[in-house]
Amino acid sequence: MENNKNVFESKPVSYWIDSTKNTYYEPLDSDINVDVAVVGGGMAGITLSYLLKKRGLKVALIEAERIINGASGHTTAKITYQHNLIYDKLIRDFGKEKALQYFKANKYGAGLIEKFIKEMNIECDYLKEPAYVYTQSDNYADKVEDEVKAAKELGIDAKYCKDIPIPIDVKAAVKFENQAQFHPRKYLLALAEKIPGDGSFIFENTRAVDIKEGDVCEVITQNGKKVLASNVVIDTHFPFFDGKGFYFARMYAEKSYAIAVEAEHEFNGGMYINAETPVRSLRSQKCGDEDILIVGGENHKTGQDKHTNTHYENLFNFAKKTFGVKNVLYRWSTQDYVTLDDIPYIGHLTSKFKNIYVATGFKKWGMTNSTASAAIIADMITNGKSEYEDVFNPSRYTPSSTGRLFTVNMSVAKDYIKGKMEPADIVNNESKIKKGEAEIVEKNGKKYGAYRDIDGKLYEVDITCTHMGCELSWNEAEKTWDCPCHGSRFKYNGEVVEGPAFIPLKNYGEGDNNKDANVF
């Protein structure tokens, strides 16, 4: 770790973002009329906008910050319909017909990515690789075998393995042939370039805050400008407009982490993830003339772990033990939303809305699920239906989700109450806050979040989440205040990093001007 100290102390940076150019699309500065408004500039929104424009529709894609800088720029970028151990569960919970829909939709999504890459000659490090789910636990060996049987029942080219091509001893593994990996930003930047023109647009730094429903909807942005459209698609990470769909109660946010390293020992190809926890995800990536190794995992619920650097250290120790590490090149984290039954919500926002759509809850499998969502919603808008829509219907009910609904919302309630009521020990005053660190400050019975930057300036913000009032927790690696209830994240100066919140935290200024504050 000592040789990589600077990487682990510096701000996390995604390899995908660092190795590609920035985008500079203008913000929306006047009201416009289009056929479809797409809110969210990640893989789902960009793919959908491209598909709709190809079908002759005028599209406006709006993004709160810069496109492809969210989850799509912080992924492990596996193009696979092997989504851990899912197909046996799908058959049990949904039946074979809907399990087949899920598989076919994601296989179609993977094929669509390959098709676009070939059609546009996109240089994005696209490489066919097998994908493995492995286990080192006796408790999961039978589950792996059940997954192989379920996959074969659905017609998937799956194989049961007792070993894998990398130096990890396993109890069992399932191998899917003909999966792929790529550089997601190189791919999506090429798609995005095809969207503007002929009445279609991309607008960055344009945050949507509300929708006025109607035959022609109005998407209202934070600066008051509007996009008027016959159809609206919410492709944001978390739906900024709920429409009484109660998405806040039907999803939860998870953080996961990745490091990119130069390994001492050769990596024999393939993509890997284990079935048990802690999660370990592996794949290689071309970086110049060299191959680097991307190691991911360490999932936990957003806002429930202050010491986030520990997760990077755990991934480093795993990589060092398994492959040896010459150098740590990058580290980054991402946030994913998980639905009650692990299947994304794709389709009409609720049964009430016939021209407002949503695509969210991709869990950790956004590359194929987001592409599939674009194809599904494009078909629903232009053809009235999609052959894959039933299994993803946001208004669906499955018996298995009932218990999880209770568990998820009890957890939210616990986090809410804990943040409001749990006492904390007073450490001293704010002068004790070190550079690069944050603490909770109490003044006149009210809590504030105090962070001192590397230059010694102190930033104080109200750490009550502006979404639904939960108390925020500090994230030491990203230097953000994170919400344990619904996953909103804020910079140390109060600016929104990601929603569902769109209102910044109240900022009480910079500088050491609160000498009487207590830190605890």
Side-chain angles (χ1 to χ4, degrees):
M1 178 69 75
E2 188 63 33
N3 293 335
N4 300 283
K5 186 176 181 181
N6 290 338
V7 174
F8 282 87
E9 288 183 350
S10 61
K11 181 180 178 181
V13 176
S14 160
Y15 167 72
W16 314 121
I17 293 174
D18 191 56
S19 58
T20 47
K21 63 182 181 181
N22 294 324
T23 55
Y24 296 98
Y25 294 100
E26 293 296 322
L28 178 67
D29 60 4
S30 62
D31 295 353
I32 60 167
N33 288 270
V34 290
D35 297 314
V36 185
V38 178
V39 185
M43 190 155 186
I46 289 172
T47 306
L48 174 61
S49 298
Y50 175 72
L51 285 173
L52 291 173
K53 185 182 178 184
K54 283 186 68 176
R55 298 186 188 188
L57 297 180
K58 295 178 180 179
V59 182
L61 170 66
I62 64 174
E63 164 58 39
E65 295 187 357
R66 295 292 181 188
I67 62 170
I68 330 168
N69 267 22
S72 298
H74 292 82
T75 174
T76 53
K78 298 176 181 179
I79 305 170
T80 176
Y81 43 83
Q82 183 201 65
H83 297 169
N84 213 304
L85 303 181
I86 191 168
Y87 290 107
D88 180 59
K89 179 179 184 296
L90 277 176
I91 290 173
R92 286 186 282 108
D93 289 352
F94 289 84
K96 183 177 177 181
E97 181 181 347
K98 289 184 178 177
L100 196 58
Q101 275 187 14
Y102 182 91
F103 158 57
K104 286 184 175 180
N106 279 277
K107 184 178 181 181
Y108 182 80
L112 201 58
I113 295 169
E114 183 176 16
K115 177 176 180 282
F116 290 158
I117 290 170
K118 290 179 177 178
E119 284 180 351
M120 289 181 265
N121 296 313
I122 302 173
E123 295 292 334
C124 60
D125 308 323
Y126 181 80
L127 181 66
K128 284 290 185 73
E129 291 278 17
Y132 297 82
V133 178
Y134 70 88
T135 183
Q136 296 181 287
S137 167
D138 288 324
N139 294 333
Y140 280 86
D142 288 343
K143 294 179 181 180
V144 169
E145 192 168 356
D146 290 341
E147 183 71 3
V148 175
K149 292 176 182 176
K152 288 183 175 180
E153 186 179 347
L154 298 174
I156 301 172
D157 185 5
K159 180 182 178 182
Y160 180 83
C161 306
K162 292 186 177 180
D163 52 44
I164 55 178
I166 58 175
I168 296 177
D169 293 328
V170 302
K171 299 291 184 180
V174 52
K175 176 184 180 182
F176 279 27
E177 299 283 6
N178 295 312
Q179 310 300 290
Q181 61 186 46
F182 71 154
H183 190 306
R185 271 184 62 91
K186 288 181 179 179
Y187 168 74
L188 288 170
L189 287 169
L191 247 61
E193 289 177 357
K194 303 292 184 181
I195 296 169
D198 299 322
S200 290
F201 309 88
I202 293 178
F203 297 106
E204 292 184 322
N205 294 315
T206 303
R207 185 179 295 276
V209 297
D210 200 3
I211 298 175
K212 184 178 179 181
E213 59 192 271
D215 292 336
V216 175
C217 295
E218 296 180 8
V219 179
I220 302 167
T221 66
Q222 202 160 32
N223 68 0
K225 305 304 179 184
K226 302 174 184 177
V227 180
L228 286 76
S230 300
N231 292 278
V232 176
V233 185
I234 302 170
D235 273 327
T236 52
H237 209 183
F238 186 101
F240 73 96
F241 176 80
D242 189 84
K244 296 185 179 178
F246 300 102
Y247 286 87
F248 63 87
R250 299 196 288 136
M251 297 195 298
Y252 62 94
E254 272 195 356
K255 292 285 289 182
S256 57
Y257 302 81
I259 60 173
V261 305
E262 183 183 1
E264 292 179 349
H265 306 302
E266 183 178 0
F267 182 77
N268 293 324
M271 304 180 295
Y272 305 84
I273 192 168
N274 61 332
E276 62 268 31
T277 56
V279 174
R280 296 289 179 262
S281 171
L282 296 159
R283 60 156 288 192
S284 62
Q285 169 62 33
K286 185 65 69 176
C287 179
D289 295 328
E290 303 292 330
D291 283 333
I292 61 176
L293 179 64
I294 296 175
V295 184
E298 288 287 307
N299 305 354
H300 67 85
K301 191 178 176 187
T302 298
Q304 292 198 347
D305 194 339
K306 175 180 179 180
H307 302 293
T308 45
N309 276 324
T310 300
H311 300 290
Y312 290 113
E313 293 166 5
N314 290 342
L315 293 177
F316 170 83
N317 291 333
F318 169 78
K320 184 178 180 180
K321 179 181 178 182
T322 310
F323 300 98
V325 174
K326 295 180 184 178
N327 193 22
V328 178
L329 304 172
Y330 294 91
R331 62 169 182 152
W332 65 89
S333 72
T334 192
Q335 181 165 295
D336 296 280
Y337 280 90
V338 183
T339 67
L340 297 176
D341 55 17
D342 296 327
I343 307 302
Y345 298 133
I346 301 169
H348 296 291
L349 183 67
T350 71
S351 58
K352 171 188 173 183
F353 296 105
K354 301 306 179 186
N355 60 347
I356 302 178
Y357 302 83
V358 68
T360 188
F362 297 142
K363 201 177 179 183
K364 310 295 177 185
W365 306 105
M367 299 297 95
T368 55
N369 266 318
S370 62
T371 306
S373 79
I376 290 166
I377 293 175
D379 281 347
M380 293 178 74
I381 289 173
T382 58
N383 301 328
K385 62 179 181 179
S386 165
E387 63 180 297
Y388 309 124
E389 67 181 90
D390 288 350
V391 68
F392 299 102
N393 184 351
S395 299
R396 67 182 178 267
Y397 168 78
T398 52
S400 63
S401 67
T402 303
R404 203 164 179 186
L405 175 68
F406 177 79
T407 301
V408 167
N409 286 283
M410 281 298 293
S411 176
V412 169
K414 180 180 177 182
D415 291 332
Y416 183 90
I417 294 169
K418 179 180 178 182
K420 300 294 184 185
M421 303 297 295
E422 186 174 87
D425 296 328
I426 294 176
V427 174
N428 207 321
N429 60 47
E430 67 185 12
S431 66
K432 299 293 185 180
I433 301 175
K434 298 177 181 178
K435 292 180 180 180
E437 294 185 359
E439 298 288 353
I440 307 297
V441 176
E442 184 180 49
K443 294 185 295 182
N444 300 320
K446 184 173 175 59
K447 296 179 182 179
Y448 302 86
Y451 168 74
R452 193 180 302 280
D453 70 14
I454 58 173
D455 296 321
K457 286 185 178 181
L458 191 72
Y459 296 79
E460 289 189 344
V461 295
D462 185 336
I463 53 167
T464 299
C465 182
T466 57
H467 174 228
M468 295 186 73
C470 294
E471 297 302 303
L472 306 175
S473 299
W474 179 246
N475 176 337
E476 67 178 6
E478 276 75 38
K479 310 299 184 190
T480 59
W481 295 103
D482 298 352
C483 180
C485 294
H486 304 109
S488 296
R489 299 178 60 232
F490 304 83
K491 296 178 183 178
Y492 57 78
N493 64 358
E495 295 177 12
V496 176
V497 175
E498 59 184 301
F502 58 83
I503 300 172
L505 302 175
K506 186 174 181 180
N507 189 324
Y508 292 93
E510 307 172 11
D512 294 326
N513 55 359
N514 295 293
K515 300 296 185 182
D516 60 337
N518 291 322
V519 178
F520 58 94

